[in-house]
Every structure is written in C-alpha cells, then in structure tokens.
Amino acid sequence: MTSTATRPRGARARAAIAAKTLRTDRWWFAPLITVIGLSAWVAYATVRVFQHDNYWVDAYHYLTPFYSPCVTDRCVEAASHFGRFLPGWWIIPDAALTLPFLLLFRLTCYYYRKAYYRSFWLSPPACAVPDGHKEYGGETRFPLLGQNLHRYFFYAAAIISLINTWDAILAFHSPKGFGFGLGNIILVLNVVMLWAYTISCHSCRHIIGGRLKHFSKHPVRYKAWTFVSALNVRHMQLAWITLGTLALADFYIMALAAGWFSDLRFIN
C-alpha cells in the first residue's frame, strides 16, 4: 500500500477486499438449478436412448420422438418409416440419423451456450462474479470454434421437426382407423413446442430478415421476421418447455408400451 508520504495529494488508498465478489444475493442459485435440470434431463434421455425398448405402441401408432426415425435392424418394422439400414449394436441409438444433429443444434444454441457456460464451465457463473478460468479465448479456438456451425444445424433441426410432425399425424391413423387419445394431444403439443423453439432460433430470425435493407420492399418476409422476432424473445422459455414436452412424450409412450396403464381414448 502506498504510504502517506509518497501518496499524491488528495488521493485515497484502495480498500483491501479479500472476497471474490461483493454480491450478497443468491447469484449461485440460477447456475445450480441449470446444472441440476440439464443433468437430470441428459441422464434420463441417455438411459432411454440406449434402452432399445418401449418406444412404439402398435395399437395407436405412437412413436416416441427419442426413437424417430427408427433406422436400426432391431427396430419394429411398423415404426421404421424410413427403413432399417443400420446395424443393431447396443452402442448405436435407434434414431442415429437424427439424435446427433438435435444434440448439436441444442449445444450450439445461443441460449444453451449461456446456460452451460455459466453453469458447467463457470465462465463466468454470474454478472460481477469472477470467471472460473485464468484465460478466456472465447469461441475462437477448438472446440468452441464449432459453435459457428449452429446455422447449419438449424436446417437439420427443421427437417427433424418435419419428421416429428409426420409421426404425430400418423398417430391419428391406428390399425382400427382414425383414432384420437391423450397420446395424440401430447405428441401434437410436443411438435408445436418443437416448432416454436426451432423457428425462434436466432439463426432462423437472421435467415428470414437479417440481411434485408428495406423491409418495405419485402412485406411477406417482414411479417415473418416480426413473428419470429416475437418468438425469439421467449427462446429461453421455449428451450426449457421443449425439454419438458420431449420427456413427457417419451415417458407417456414408454409407459403405454410397457403396459403400466392404458391410453385415455376419446375416439376409437
């Protein structure tokens, strides 16, 4: 500390603060909840993906989104809408064509980056809280350099959302004809939320209107851009909601396939 004799006239000594942060609120609560929530979902999804069972209800043509499309040779034929051309090794997910792209789409999502940067990497865990790392290289080096591929994973996610929509439509046509039950409501709800999350993506917003210089010359794209922008404000909430609807749809179909209870049917 500078002595009084050598300190410039009028200058004040800096306070010696030993604490890492002066924040007295529960700044750690949000990162902790994020860690718990995401870890629980990943654990559940991992178990279900490699369970290789209870994913198809033949009576109502219910297919869980975790196994869509089912493409390994151990898949039920009725659930394999796009063929069975991959070996049925236990290490290969039955939806091996879609799950990797969905994972990459979510991992590179702007909201999820914020979530796991703060919660798992502590970089930084909260505003005015020191970073947990000595150096910060941003997204300019491997592996974080791959975050720039998010816009391309968006196209894959849009195609997968179309497949999930097709699954939800097929579920209305059971072997007995047109049918409608609680499972249909859950599948449709999941598809609607997935579409809302997908098109509320920042990349989608930029694709629709990000490069337009004169909105007045592109009224249709401007309307689409304003709609997507309104959804974009809720992108964080939609990210969590879709995790919930995915787990709900999968659990409900798993329970029906396992015979834990029967589907609540309204028609047929």
Side-chain angles (χ1 to χ4, degrees), residues 10 14 57 72 74 93 115 124 129 140 168 182 195-196 199 221 260:
R14 293 176 61 90
V57 181
T72 64
R74 66 168 159 261
V129 178
T140 61
L182 179 58
W195 273 116
I199 66 176
R221 290 184 64 182
W260 295 352

Side-chain angles (χ1 to χ4, degrees), residues 226-240:
T226 55
F227 175 74
V228 171
S229 296
L231 285 178
N232 181 257
V233 177
R234 301 285 184 265
H235 196 54
M236 179 185 72
Q237 292 88 338
L238 290 170
W240 282 101

Side-chain angles (χ1 to χ4, degrees), residues 155-226:
Y155 293 115
I159 294 174
I160 295 170
S161 294
L162 286 173
I163 294 175
N164 292 149
T165 302
W166 178 244
D167 291 335
I169 294 173
L170 288 180
F172 285 99
H173 301 277
S174 63
K176 296 181 181 180
F178 176 79
F180 178 64
L182 179 58
N184 295 102
I185 296 177
I186 293 175
L187 287 174
V188 170
L189 173 64
N190 178 59
V191 165
V192 170
M193 291 296 101
L194 285 178
W195 273 116
Y197 168 70
T198 303
I199 66 176
S200 68
C201 168
H202 296 75
S203 293
C204 179
R205 183 171 179 264
H206 179 73
I207 291 169
I208 290 176
R211 295 185 177 182
L212 296 181
K213 295 182 178 179
H214 303 284
F215 280 133
S216 59
K217 296 182 179 180
H218 305 274
V220 176
R221 290 184 64 182
Y222 175 69
K223 287 290 184 181
W225 181 81
T226 55

